[in-house]
């Protein structure tokens, strides 16, 4: 059973997360030749106030 963990800063709408999980599941089915119901995906979202890069909080970085 493939298990994928995705780490992301901030939060995204439920529709985006569902679409991402569907696309990743489809890729696992195609490339790993496993049934879709065997693919487990965990999304771990961290608020931008709780994550830093290069000593700068993500919440203090300019938006892209």
């Amino acid at each position: 059973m493939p298990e994928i963990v995705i780490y992301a800063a901030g939060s995204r709408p439920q529709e985006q997360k569902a679409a991402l999980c569907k696309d990743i599941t489809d890729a696992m089915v195609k490339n790993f030749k496993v049934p879709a119901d065997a693919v487990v995906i965990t999304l771990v979202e961290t608020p931008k106030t709780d994550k830093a890069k290069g000593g700068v909080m993500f919440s203090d970085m300019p938006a892209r």
Side-chain angles (χ1 to χ4, degrees):
M1 163 175 60
E3 185 166 355
I4 298 113
V5 180
I6 300 164
Y7 294 93
S11 62
R12 291 175 173 72
Q14 186 62 32
E15 299 79 25
Q16 282 184 356
K17 293 187 278 189
L20 176 64
C21 288
K22 174 73 169 91
D23 289 347
I24 291 171
T25 298
D26 291 346
M28 293 299 291
V29 168
K30 176 184 173 188
N31 294 288
F32 276 34
K33 309 294 189 238
V34 296
D37 63 358
V39 180
V40 175
I41 300 171
T42 302
L43 300 173
V44 180
E45 292 185 299
T46 304
K48 290 183 178 185
T49 55
D50 295 348
K51 194 167 190 124
K53 181 177 180 183
V56 179
M57 302 306 292
F58 276 44
S59 57
D60 295 333
M61 292 181 180
R64 293 185 192 200

